[in-house]
Amino acid sequence: MEQRIIASEFAEVAVSLDTDANGPRLRIEDLRGGRVRHLDALELESVVWLPEERLRELLDPSAGRWSDRPGDE
Amino acid sequence: MTVRYSELIQPERVHGSLYTDPGVFAEELERIWYRTWVCVGHVSEVARPGDYVRKAVGTQDVIMTRSADGEVSLLLNRCAHRGNLVCEDARGNSSSFRCPYHGWTYRNTGELLGYPYNQGYGGKGKLSLGLGRVPRVDTYQGFVFASFAADGPSLKEHLGAAAGELDRLARLSPEGEIELTAGWLKHRAKANWKLLVENETDGYHPQFVHGSVFSVTGSHIGSLYSDKSTAVTRDLGGGHSENDLRPEFRRMGTPMAWFGTSEAKVPEYVRKMRELHGEQAEEILIEGAPHVMVFPNLFVAEISVFMIQPVAVDETVQHVTAVQLKGAPDMNRRLLSQCVGSVGPAGMLLADDSEMYERNQRGMAARMPEWLDIRRGVGRERVDENGFRVGTANDETGMRGFWSHYRSLMEREDAQ
Amino acid sequence: MSSLAGHTGLDLHEIEEFLYREARLADEHDYDGWEALWTDDALYWVPAGGPDIDPERQMSVIYDNRSRISTRISQLKTGKRYSQSPPSNMRRLISNVEVVAVEGTDTVAGANFLLVESRERGTTLWAGRTTYRLRRVEDGIRLAYKKVVLVNSAEALSTLSFLI
Ligand code: FES
Ligand SMILES: [Fe+2]
């Protein structure tokens, strides 16, 4: 499993093709936060088609990791 | 105390305090560096969406970015929350910048995308804040210029006749485009920025300051600036000036002689140029590249591009890189090699120029005679067919042009 | 059996002796002595912006082949290379010497340096890591490659026209 690192001064992730499941997935590991997520072909395709604004919304720190709204993770 | 620029800047002399007075430097920042068009970089430095490079306008820390839709922006590197630097790396690729202090996140156009734990601000999108943006950004032949003034002359108006010199540089590429992709040397000089500007088109010094390298390499550059030279110094207006070496290159009449080489050494390049330009190719290959100082900080010396960055009244950083011609790999290797040998902290030319800037700055600490003389060639200046003042190869015509424009900017009542 | 066979790599002591000599010749502006240390395929490199740039595509502070080293030295020797006339007063310390690799008659060594330069501009501290390629030849050791990575290679540098 060949791992590639994609890094900037803002983030550092390792990506690799995971073949352990019944179908291939992209494995993404946040090297600074330690968390891993797998994205399957359909999820990746959806990211490709995501409107620019929706992608940008994901970059809002309060949209996920640093949310203080009750009920958010 | 107000500085009386009209007294300090006279047609044939300028006062030493213009180079040594911190008050003058502070006013220059406001009236020149944060007002007129200043060259910041080149679009080829941010070729792809998300690319960014850190730059400077005057003493301002600026990020040059390219957004997803291809637009080049100049952002001030200061977080809207508490003023932290948003960007630390010299270059990179990111569609967004996240401030490391409290995580505020911006698009690479400066727009605030969000901030962590947003309930503290009443929720999402409650703040109408963003990164500072240089109000006017424009490009010419790929050179990116900034103006902190919301309005004023357009870049085209500012460049005036100097635009034609940048055209002359671009047309040397078989694709009509130059690229500044070789990275920059940054050379620090303990000297006022104007000493660098004046030196750039001073044709009087090369035989003295660069005699050491001319004598060991047998370079023809010295003779281009000699008293016998047919080259001229031209005041292009707007503070811009050039050493027009074309008369000498035309006299030689040999393609590529301007670059100190022959067409046999770069056959592929010459072939492409002839294919593209037909008969006109000979003129282009003979006349070569410009030697032009674009007010206040862009200097093109044939194969090298310099950007002058003022740091303090007695400190300047000179950024320099090799011209790269799109579509001419055989030329680009040579351009880079020749440039590296000549410029920067160890350059066989620029190290000695820089030594002179620094000695010049120290010399001006002396109380007398107070003035610097800029009259060389006044009596033999002529006006050419385009209405520009022209002096001989080693006259101070360019300096006089610089100072008259400088004075017009520094004197303006509406400044600040 | 030739004198070179079986003994191509240099030992640490020989390396140090050479590096100290090279440093002294540079510090004392013994231009001819310094130039004589180089092989014909010499490469003298001071990268800019970081240690790993491609010198064939990116700007370097110095990227001299043998002929350009010779031009540089000739220029210094004119006495009119104003950025070194008068010459800087300098002394450098070399330490942390390590053998990196032995390749045939070449030994690659690394060392740190700290250099104090004094001239009228002021006193400047230079420091970095140097990689040397040293070659054993009939009459001693020659320098085939010297790469000087300044700790501040990404910053604006003062004039550096002495031999670093
Ligand atoms: S200063 Fe940038 S997030 Fe606080
Ligand atoms: Fe010069």
Side-chain angles (χ1 to χ4, degrees):
Chain A
M1 184 176 76
E2 199 197 354
Q3 180 172 285
R4 291 294 181 92
I5 299 209
I6 298 178
S8 75
E9 59 185 305
F10 307 107
E12 205 175 342
V13 299
V15 295
S16 55
L17 185 66
D18 180 293
T19 50
D20 292 346
N22 289 0
R25 301 178 299 172
L26 183 70
R27 180 184 184 277
I28 310 177
E29 180 177 354
D30 171 5
L31 295 173
R32 295 185 187 168
R35 186 148 150 162
V36 173
R37 165 156 281 166
H38 290 87
L39 293 178
D40 60 48
L42 185 56
E43 284 169 333
L44 285 168
E45 188 205 62
S46 307
V47 171
V48 173
W49 286 95
L50 206 56
E52 200 61 33
E53 313 87 69
R54 295 282 302 283
L55 186 63
R56 223 165 278 143
E57 279 167 22
L58 299 178
L59 285 153
D60 177 353
S62 284
R65 209 172 359 157
W66 296 290
S67 169
D68 53 359
R69 254 177 329 180
D72 282 0
E73 59 177 307
Chain B
M1 201 186 78
T2 38
V3 179
R4 307 293 305 234
Y5 292 98
S6 55
E7 286 165 20
L8 300 181
I9 303 161
Q10 298 176 9
E12 298 185 6
R13 61 180 195 170
V14 293
H15 197 261
S17 63
L18 293 163
Y19 303 85
T20 57
D21 178 354
V24 168
F25 182 76
E27 288 191 337
E28 286 172 349
L29 288 179
E30 296 303 328
R31 298 182 190 182
I32 294 176
W33 295 94
Y34 305 149
R35 189 170 74 190
T36 190
W37 289 97
V38 172
C39 193
V40 184
H42 194 267
V43 292
S44 56
E45 296 180 76
V46 286
R48 309 234 147 54
D51 279 350
Y52 66 93
V53 284
R54 280 178 70 183
K55 291 287 182 181
V57 178
T59 59
Q60 298 292 299
D61 190 333
V62 163
I63 317 163
M64 179 161 90
T65 68
R66 190 183 286 275
S67 65
D69 55 17
E71 184 202 0
V72 173
S73 304
L74 295 171
L75 310 173
L76 283 111
N77 194 1
R78 174 191 169 133
C79 181
H81 177 220
R82 291 184 46 76
N84 206 63
L85 288 178
V86 165
C87 208
E88 187 62 34
D89 284 358
R91 60 206 301 267
N93 184 284
S94 195
S95 71
S96 328
F97 302 141
R98 178 163 293 160
C99 177
Y101 202 177
H102 312 92
W104 285 33
T105 303
Y106 305 87
R107 264 184 81 189
N108 63 1
T109 52
E111 174 199 333
L112 181 60
L113 281 176
Y115 30 83
Y117 309 121
N118 62 23
Q119 296 307 305
Y121 297 97
K124 180 181 168 67
K126 296 294 184 200
L127 304 177
S128 55
L129 296 173
L131 297 176
R133 282 175 60 93
V134 175
R136 290 191 300 159
V137 180
D138 201 355
T139 64
Y140 191 79
Q141 291 294 9
F143 288 95
V144 179
F145 292 83
S147 167
F148 272 100
D151 38 47
S154 69
L155 176 61
K156 267 296 248 214
E157 288 165 333
H158 166 79
L159 290 175
E165 301 305 307
L166 300 181
D167 295 341
R168 220 146 71 65
L169 181 66
R171 74 174 186 172
L172 284 169
S173 149
E175 296 183 20
E177 278 178 49
I178 67 141
E179 296 180 308
L180 300 185
T181 46
W184 298 83
L185 293 185
K186 293 182 278 184
H187 189 176
R188 187 181 299 280
K190 291 295 293 173
N192 184 270
W193 65 274
K194 298 186 291 301
L195 290 174
L196 281 70
V197 173
E198 291 178 281
N199 175 264
E200 313 290 27
T201 55
D202 170 29
Y204 199 16
H205 82 280
Q207 299 175 74
F208 299 91
V209 177
H210 306 307
S212 62
V213 71
F214 298 159
S215 68
V216 301
T217 58
S219 161
H220 68 292
I221 301 176
S223 66
L224 297 176
Y225 295 100
S226 77
D227 236 38
K228 307 228 166 40
S229 173
T230 55
V232 297
T233 310
R234 182 174 291 112
D235 170 3
L236 293 168
H240 318 304
S241 67
E242 68 166 332
N243 295 100
D244 186 356
L245 305 174
R246 282 175 291 182
E248 283 291 298
F249 296 143
R250 287 191 199 113
R251 214 166 47 82
M252 297 177 204
T254 320
M256 303 312 294
W258 68 272
F259 185 45
T261 188
S262 66
E263 56 179 286
K265 292 276 172 58
V266 282
E268 189 57 13
Y269 169 68
V270 170
R271 186 188 61 75
K272 275 192 191 169
M273 291 296 280
R274 288 196 173 127
E275 220 170 81
L276 181 68
H277 295 285
E279 298 218 322
Q280 215 215 335
E282 298 319 297
E283 180 191 305
I284 298 174
L285 296 171
I286 286 171
E287 290 184 352
H291 190 104
V292 61
M293 179 67 227
V294 180
F295 188 93
N297 76 325
L298 169 64
F299 174 47
V300 179
E302 291 90 15
I303 62 163
S304 310
V305 171
F306 298 76
M307 290 185 198
I308 295 168
Q309 179 200 347
V311 175
V313 68
D314 60 352
E315 188 170 344
T316 306
V317 173
Q318 179 144 253
H319 302 249
V320 57
T321 190
V323 170
Q324 298 283 274
L325 304 173
K326 201 167 178 190
D330 51 342
M331 270 297 276
N332 287 344
R333 273 187 302 277
R334 289 168 180 273
L335 286 163
L336 177 70
S337 170
Q338 213 178 96
C339 179
V340 165
S342 310
V343 307
M348 296 193 207
L349 291 170
L350 266 291
D352 297 320
D353 286 309
S354 203
E355 180 70 18
M356 290 302 144
Y357 315 148
E358 295 185 335
R359 293 190 195 181
N360 207 162
Q361 188 74 26
R362 293 201 296 275
M364 285 187 299
R367 294 171 62 84
M368 286 188 293
E370 282 189 53
W371 297 89
L372 286 80
D373 199 281
I374 56 167
R375 89 183 80 185
R376 184 176 170 78
V378 154
R380 57 184 176 187
E381 235 166 49
R382 61 183 174 86
V383 174
D384 73 7
E385 61 282 9
N386 297 311
F388 298 124
R389 288 189 172 282
V390 173
T392 75
N394 53 44
D395 284 347
E396 286 161 354
T397 306
M399 286 181 202
R400 290 190 286 277
F402 167 82
W403 282 108
S404 98
H405 187 66
Y406 174 96
R407 182 173 142 174
S408 74
L409 292 173
M410 295 300 284
E411 266 185 333
R412 286 215 344 218
E413 294 301 312
D414 58 345
Q416 293 169 350
Chain C
M1 187 166 113
S2 104
S3 62
L4 295 181
H7 184 73
T8 50
L10 304 173
D11 67 38
L12 201 59
H13 182 69
E14 285 176 295
I15 293 169
E16 282 175 348
E17 255 181 11
F18 183 88
L19 302 191
Y20 295 160
R21 186 152 57 94
E22 192 257 346
R24 176 166 42 76
L25 294 171
D27 284 346
E28 296 178 359
H29 309 283
D30 183 339
Y31 298 131
D32 289 333
W34 188 82
E35 189 182 358
L37 299 178
W38 289 93
T39 61
D40 288 341
D41 59 344
L43 197 61
Y44 173 36
W45 182 27
V46 182
D52 299 319
I53 62 155
D54 175 355
E56 301 287 339
R57 304 176 68 100
Q58 300 291 117
M59 295 290 290
S60 296
V61 180
I62 294 173
Y63 189 58
D64 286 2
N65 59 14
R66 185 63 187 81
S67 107
R68 196 169 278 178
I69 289 173
S70 159
T71 306
R72 189 176 294 283
I73 295 296
S74 306
Q75 188 190 16
L76 287 163
K77 284 169 61 182
T78 61
K80 294 185 300 181
R81 166 69 155 162
Y82 292 105
S83 49
Q84 275 304 301
S85 180
S88 302
N89 285 320
M90 322 185 272
R91 282 297 163 191
R92 73 193 78 187
L93 307 177
I94 310 268
S95 82
N96 305 55
V97 182
E98 292 172 294
V99 176
V100 176
V102 177
E103 294 160 9
T105 52
D106 287 4
T107 301
V108 181
N112 293 351
F113 74 94
L114 182 63
L115 186 164
V116 181
E117 181 206 11
S118 162
R119 57 190 290 105
E120 198 172 313
R121 185 203 307 121
T123 299
T124 310
L125 208 54
W126 301 88
R129 177 80 172 167
T130 307
T131 304
Y132 308 82
R133 177 177 285 270
L134 305 175
R135 184 168 304 154
R136 188 185 289 288
V137 295
E138 291 294 338
D139 60 344
I141 301 170
R142 291 281 183 285
L143 184 55
Y145 174 91
K146 183 179 185 188
K147 175 184 177 187
V148 182
V149 179
L150 297 167
V151 295
N152 56 343
S153 71
E155 289 175 44
L157 303 174
S158 296
T159 296
L160 193 175
S161 56
F162 55 84
L163 301 172
I164 187 137

